[in-house]
Amino acid sequence: MVGLVTGIGLVGWGGIASIGGLVAGALALQQRMRDGRAKDGQQDRVVRNDAGIPPGGPAADISPYEAYKLGVERKVAEFSTARQSTVIKIVHHDPDEYVDHDTAVEVIDTLRKAGPDAKIDVVLHTPGGISSATQQILHALLNHKGPKTAYVPYRAKSAGTMIALACDEIVMGPSAVLGPIDPQYSWLPAHYLAELPSDKSADRISDEMLVLSKMAKQAMKEARRFACEYVNDAHKQDGSCSLTDDLIGGGRNHDYPILPDEAKGFGLKVRTNMPDACYGICQPPPKDEPFLIVSMFNAEDGEKIDPAKAPQLPRDRNGFRLGRDVFR
């Protein structure tokens, strides 16, 4: 569907007539799209509907996002049945999604209801999250006695890496990545922030930065302690904290990608035979439909608006321009 927003400024009837033509064209385009889908019968729905809804069924006309959610739930259920396990899904796509305290509550409750000896599969696709929430999740996983496997089809960075390390083994996609687990404090790398007083004289550092530096130093100390405590023994080949110490203070950028071969080189218990279901569980949701925005502000009396002169933005596979089309 094409949304149409019209802004009418100081214009004459010629401009309004142009708007009417554009509206009629947009409605005609929408109708042609509907007719095209109808001509194709139910085949388009069979191909694009991943929610397991029979074509023509009572719920066949649900929104793409609802169909997406049902499809993910179906894949989780199928994976759980095939593995005879309880699946914990920690999947984040939007920039404002991360491991937070709601995530911790969901994981703790899932483990509590699964029973102490249940097989647990953690499907991870996340950029990281809050340290305190992550520590709660790690504590819950450490105290769960059943077997625990982490699945990382694409990425599990920062806090996601720590959650993976808390499991008995890690299954990574061939091109999936883990990452360093060094804490970030006030949006800055805590490791470098803690070293600020040694790199710069105190008279050249503000009081606020000195306080942040001391807090970052404390954050580094705490991270080393709880990371070593919660990493699964299966990944500690020498029984020491050398693995987590390296991942925290090894001099890597926080976004450094650790691919499977390098992860194995660290001594992690990693394999790469990723089930297809996990890729499906981590697929991103459908994007919002683009809007056609028609602006009449500053148009001259009688001026016609030529759509061909609009900025030409990239188009998606359905022929819609990506982003917003602005006609001035």
Side-chain angles (χ1 to χ4, degrees), residues 22 291-295 303-315 321-322 324-328:
L22 286 173
F291 279 84
L292 175 65
I293 298 184
V294 181
S295 175
E303 178 187 356
K304 291 185 178 180
I305 302 172
D306 185 0
K309 294 180 181 179
Q312 299 300 305
L313 302 177
R315 294 178 181 269
R321 290 192 181 97
L322 301 177
R324 293 182 171 182
D325 288 344
V326 181
F327 298 92
R328 294 193 180 275

Side-chain angles (χ1 to χ4, degrees), residues 76-85:
V76 170
E78 290 174 352
F79 185 55
S80 175
T81 300
R83 289 272 300 163
Q84 291 296 296
S85 66

Side-chain angles (χ1 to χ4, degrees), residues 156-158 161 177-182 247 250-259 262-263 266:
K157 307 297 285 293
S158 193
T161 296
V177 293
L178 304 175
I181 57 175
D182 54 308
L247 290 175
R252 301 174 189 86
N253 186 289
H254 189 63
D255 199 38
Y256 178 85
I258 300 174
L259 290 157
E262 188 171 3
F266 288 146

